[in-house]
Amino acid sequence: MLYSILVETYKELEKTTKRLEKTYLISELLKKTSTEDLETVTLLVQGNIFPTYDQREIGIASRLILKALSQTSGIEQKHVENSWASIGDLGEVAEELIKKKKQATLHSENLTIKKVMTNLRKLADLTGAGTVERKLQLIRELLSSAKPAEARYIIRTLIGDLRIGAAEGTIRDAIAWAFFPPVGSIFFECPNCKSWMPKIKKCLNCGKDMNLKSGPKTRGRKILEIKETEEIEKKNIQNYDLIQAKDETEARKTYNHLLDIIQRAINLSNDMGVTALTAKTKGIKGLLNISLTTGIPLKVMLYQKAKDLEDAFKTVGKPAQLEYKYDGFRIQIHKNKEIKLFTRRLEDVTKQFPDIVNIVKDHVKAKKYILDGEVIGIDPKTKKWLPFQNISQRIKRKYDIKEITKDVPVMLNVFDAIMINGKNLINEPFKKRRTSLEKAVRPSANKLAVAKALVTDDEQEAEAFYKEALEKGNEGVMVKNLDGIYKPGSRVGYGVKVKPTMETLDLVIIGADWGTGKRAKWLSSFTIACQKGDRFVEMGKVGTGIKEKGDGVSFAQLTELLKPLIEKQKGRAVTVKPKIVIEVDYEEIQKSPTYSSGYALRFPRVVKLREDKPADEADSIDKIHRLYDQQRGR
Ligand code: AMP
């Protein structure tokens, strides 16, 4: 298939913000894609080169792209850089340059999907010194055959910023629309061109009014349902098939069920391409046959936030299991022939944690298993637990691993079992999974523990446990439903977290960066500072909590306020007079050598503008010292 076909869809997707329209466009693309190209197209339409579980990255610096653009177009690199500074989007820069070049030289080969993917993957596989020239050659090869719009999307894919807004959920729906017979009340026939459309005013094919008033009953296509809608995993999957549904309610239920089945396949395989291909070639049965595989990480279950313990019990029910919320990082442990460790973002960190691998080898008694847990740091002298910040360096560490395991020792707290001795436990209630987990591991001080837990329906007992958790240096507690199943990738209410809320801070903006892409005309990342005597000292940057449009603090508003205060500009960064105060929310105050205050905020978020507050009334470093000391029973 030609790359230009995918580019046509990219362009259409960029024109709309409506999810239904996007879904329709992608489903049409998937329908016309050959079976051979389907995996590749499904990944590329999301801007991905590999499935989610595969951590290879292209890792190309903007600098190298500028060079490749200059070499392909014959335009001096300085000019290319200038147009990047003014346009702010490398993809658009590429499009402009190729347009100019194409007027001069007209011959070129047509790019295929396969060629683009091959070169992109080769780029990801080239690492280390001496590969720069080869990388340049691979990019040049694509650009020299690319039409202007193709260049735009090749570059955006290269830098991992496709910006067409095709999220995972949209692609999941598109897979349903493309490969399963349309469901009544979800699809409607255009009275003019007879194409089948989602519920939409104007037909996406001919542009005429869909005139939906006549209602789905008369105009909906065949209504279908999936037999055996409950308990998919437990029943004999041979029974599943699409049959005629009785009415519209059934049809809607079926549609949602179909989406669940596709989402389940995505969560277990972490591969959109394989999911689309299976849907097309093997149907529902094939999707249901996608199962847990040791060695391939599945998405972790996520937890909602509760205001306090009362709220937590309300969500998960009574009695519930409370557990320490350890302040480390999530780890998914797989063992088949070998042991593999994955982070919450599904990165393979086995090499970085030989100590955890050994602990698991010695203390987990099961054969083939998948466990879920949290790695925490231990002070080598006092054996006290350390905050996450102290061990974060170990996650990315590539060298001197042996030394760092001694300097920064860690331990493992397991809290869930997903598979034990080859048995998939995903649909077992939490209390059963916990029992299996306890049976499978042999705890050992400072090496491995099963998360400290309390099962209770008594709020006072729960409060005491929460207090104890904080005193021990934990972030808070998790409160879990005893009957909840393990739902990969979902923030379902089977468990909630309860953490102390932090007092917000009023901080001064002292600098900012101009945005890129569609934010190029705005300042988009803001350096925040507190007062120290008569100076302002930095506490990091914030870009979250600010809106592109709608209510609340907007980028446009902040840009307007700060523009007259700009003192200096270097590249895309500016310093501004300290005048504007914003209220900032955050999860935690951390020590930081990077910023002049000595502190940084974890997950800062702008709450509101404090136009009423002058800069000299912003919060002081003394308050930060105090709040830092009060955190978690320190
Ligand atoms: P948050 O990162 O604030 O969404 O909180 C959820 C995270 O807390 C999980 O992803 C785990 O990394 C971590 N965590 C620590 N202790 C536990 C526990 N006992 N059960 C579940 N998650 C835990």
Side-chain angles (χ1 to χ4, degrees):
M1 186 164 121
L2 289 179
Y3 186 60
S4 57
I5 296 179
L6 177 59
V7 165
E8 281 312 309
T9 307
Y10 282 149
K11 283 200 224 158
E12 293 297 315
L13 285 167
E14 220 176 330
K15 278 191 219 150
T16 173
T17 52
K18 297 202 178 79
R19 176 155 170 181
L20 275 185
E21 290 183 17
K22 283 186 193 284
T23 312
Y24 174 76
L25 290 166
I26 297 172
S27 74
E28 289 298 299
L29 172 73
L30 297 183
K31 270 195 234 169
K32 64 181 165 216
T33 303
S34 68
T35 306
E36 192 197 347
D37 282 328
L38 188 59
E39 280 190 71
T40 309
V41 167
T42 314
L43 291 175
L44 282 180
V45 79
Q46 226 187 334
N48 292 337
I49 314 294
F50 298 107
T52 328
Y53 69 81
D54 191 325
Q55 331 107 74
R56 277 173 291 173
E57 279 176 7
I58 303 188
I60 296 284
S62 309
R63 207 119 281 286
L64 202 70
I65 295 178
L66 291 169
K67 196 164 184 181
L69 282 172
S70 156
Q71 289 176 348
T72 321
S73 63
I75 293 172
E76 248 183 86
Q77 192 164 332
K78 218 173 71 201
H79 292 302
V80 181
E81 279 178 36
N82 286 345
S83 68
W84 182 40
S86 67
I87 298 176
D89 174 358
L90 268 178
E92 273 177 50
V93 173
E95 183 168 7
E96 287 305 311
L97 292 176
I98 299 298
K99 223 183 255 167
K100 277 185 200 149
K101 180 200 135 198
K102 286 284 134 94
Q103 284 159 0
T105 53
L106 272 171
H107 100 102
S108 76
E109 236 176 276
N110 280 334
L111 273 179
T112 60
I113 298 267
K114 211 169 170 182
K115 174 72 188 163
V116 173
M117 191 57 134
T118 307
N119 276 31
L120 292 175
R121 286 193 163 169
K122 276 188 191 159
L123 280 165
D125 285 334
L126 285 171
T127 49
T131 55
V132 173
E133 191 37 52
R134 178 79 184 111
K135 282 184 182 172
L136 275 170
Q137 191 195 341
L138 287 165
I139 305 174
R140 274 198 315 259
E141 208 174 273
L142 292 179
L143 287 176
S144 60
S145 309
K147 301 194 179 64
E150 292 176 342
R152 162 152 114 219
Y153 294 105
I154 288 171
I155 296 298
R156 284 191 184 170
T157 308
L158 265 175
I159 56 178
D161 187 17
L162 197 54
R163 289 195 286 110
I164 52 154
E168 183 183 289
T170 313
I171 297 178
R172 173 200 60 199
D173 295 1
I175 293 175
W177 294 14
F179 303 124
F180 296 96
V183 181
S185 84
I186 291 162
F187 290 93
F188 304 91
E189 192 179 33
C190 168
N192 180 49
C193 73
K194 309 287 176 213
S195 308
W196 287 92
M197 290 289 138
K199 199 169 187 175
I200 207 164
K201 277 201 186 113
K202 297 233 181 291
C203 173
L204 290 162
N205 185 42
C206 67
K208 294 264 162 57
D209 203 328
M210 284 288 288
N211 189 20
L212 286 174
K213 277 177 229 101
S214 52
K217 269 201 191 112
T218 49
R219 297 247 314 283
R221 205 185 238 185
K222 218 162 85 186
I223 296 175
L224 301 163
E225 77 170 332
I226 300 165
K227 236 166 55 181
E228 299 287 6
T229 48
E230 301 297 314
E231 301 191 333
I232 326 167
E233 315 243 358
K234 288 182 192 156
K235 299 223 167 141
N236 178 357
I237 55 166
Q238 299 301 322
N239 289 339
Y240 287 89
D241 214 346
L242 289 169
I243 57 160
Q244 192 84 24
K246 288 184 282 299
D247 52 32
E248 266 179 66
T249 327
E250 274 300 310
R252 175 58 63 178
K253 223 168 92 189
T254 301
Y255 174 66
N256 288 336
H257 185 52
L258 180 60
L259 296 186
D260 277 352
I261 291 175
I262 300 171
Q263 185 66 51
R264 174 191 167 279
I266 296 169
N267 291 343
L268 292 179
S269 68
N270 270 303
D271 191 334
M272 281 306 218
V274 159
T275 306
L277 186 63
T278 309
K280 177 174 180 182
T281 57
K282 299 191 180 135
I284 293 182
K285 284 176 201 159
L287 287 171
L288 286 168
N289 267 326
I290 289 183
S291 186
L292 276 183
T293 318
T294 44
I296 294 188
L298 68 154
K299 286 195 189 154
V300 299
M301 177 155 78
L302 300 166
Y303 308 92
Q304 292 172 359
K305 214 172 183 170
K307 273 205 312 284
D308 48 30
L309 287 172
E310 198 190 325
D311 185 28
F313 277 120
K314 220 183 274 163
T315 311
V316 305
K318 275 183 184 175
Q321 174 154 316
L322 275 81
E323 290 172 14
Y324 283 179
K325 184 181 190 306
Y326 299 97
D327 183 17
F329 67 92
R330 186 96 174 242
I331 198 111
Q332 196 178 94
I333 306 146
H334 287 236
K335 155 104 196 288
N336 190 359
K337 286 191 186 77
E338 48 176 355
I339 292 167
K340 280 197 165 217
L341 308 174
F342 300 96
T343 64
R344 170 185 175 139
R345 296 174 58 202
L346 315 182
E347 293 146 335
D348 185 339
V349 286
T350 316
K351 284 207 182 80
Q352 286 91 312
F353 292 93
D355 38 357
I356 296 287
V357 171
N358 282 332
I359 290 174
V360 171
K361 240 184 227 160
D362 295 343
H363 297 276
V364 183
K365 292 170 283 181
K367 278 194 188 110
K368 193 172 163 188
Y369 58 81
I370 304 176
L371 306 181
D372 200 350
E374 187 90 351
V375 171
I376 57 170
I378 304 228
D379 187 312
K381 288 199 193 89
T382 63
K383 304 286 180 216
K384 272 196 167 170
W385 298 339
L386 295 169
F388 168 69
Q389 208 194 340
N390 297 52
I391 55 165
S392 59
Q393 45 168 316
R394 285 202 51 184
I395 301 175
K396 292 233 171 324
R397 185 75 161 227
K398 296 259 152 64
Y399 55 92
D400 292 342
I401 304 276
K402 238 187 180 161
E403 285 69 25
I404 203 164
T405 57
K406 290 205 188 77
D407 297 342
V408 188
V410 290
M411 76 167 286
L412 173 65
N413 290 282
V414 282
F415 53 73
D416 220 326
I418 298 163
M419 178 196 279
I420 286 193
N421 289 332
K423 186 170 182 319
N424 181 348
L425 302 177
I426 277 194
N427 289 303
E428 299 292 334
F430 175 54
K431 56 179 182 259
K432 264 201 169 167
R433 299 201 306 275
R434 169 87 187 195
T435 313
S436 306
L437 178 66
E438 283 169 5
K439 271 198 210 143
V441 303
R442 190 161 51 82
S444 164
N446 301 323
K447 286 188 174 155
L448 185 145
V450 185
K452 175 90 191 273
L454 166 78
V455 178
T456 185
D457 58 3
D458 180 307
E459 285 188 17
Q460 269 177 351
E461 233 178 63
E463 278 296 343
F465 184 81
Y466 180 34
K467 198 163 159 252
E468 171 193 304
L470 291 176
E471 276 165 8
K472 291 237 162 101
N474 296 295
E475 271 188 287
V477 287
M478 308 297 299
V479 184
K480 299 181 180 177
N481 180 326
L482 296 174
D483 297 315
I485 58 165
Y486 192 98
K487 263 208 131 183
S490 317
R491 210 172 271 286
V492 281
Y494 296 142
V496 295
K497 52 194 177 190
V498 183
K499 296 195 261 189
T501 44
M502 299 298 297
E503 205 177 309
T504 57
L505 292 172
D506 292 330
L507 300 170
V508 183
I509 299 178
I510 59 169
D513 290 322
W514 287 103
T516 54
K518 64 178 176 195
R519 291 192 183 163
K521 57 182 185 296
W522 297 320
L523 291 167
S524 74
S525 164
F526 304 89
T527 311
I528 42 182
C530 67
Q531 294 196 74
K532 185 177 188 179
D534 55 4
R535 292 186 303 136
F536 290 98
V537 284
E538 277 177 40
M539 294 200 60
K541 287 185 175 209
V542 61
T544 314
I546 308 165
K547 307 273 163 53
E548 284 184 3
K549 52 184 172 201
D551 296 339
V553 189
S554 68
F555 288 109
Q557 185 184 16
L558 280 177
T559 306
E560 188 102 321
L561 286 168
L562 291 168
K563 238 173 158 179
L565 304 175
I566 293 177
E567 287 182 318
K568 255 194 295 182
Q569 169 140 1
K570 196 170 170 223
R572 299 187 68 79
V574 299
T575 42
V576 297
K577 282 200 193 101
K579 283 255 191 299
I580 307 297
V581 178
I582 47 175
E583 184 179 334
V584 180
D585 191 8
Y586 54 93
E587 292 241 328
E588 192 180 12
I589 300 174
Q590 299 176 323
K591 294 245 182 199
S592 162
T594 318
Y595 300 111
S596 50
S597 65
Y599 292 104
L601 300 178
R602 188 174 184 193
F603 303 132
R605 195 177 60 87
V606 176
V607 182
K608 61 172 181 277
L609 251 178
R610 294 298 310 256
E611 285 177 285
D612 53 322
K613 250 196 183 179
D616 60 5
E617 282 178 31
D619 285 324
S620 70
I621 191 85
D622 298 332
K623 177 164 171 186
I624 315 285
H625 288 317
R626 180 170 54 77
L627 289 176
Y628 177 80
D629 288 338
Q630 282 170 3
Q631 286 176 153
R632 293 195 248 156
R634 264 197 276 265

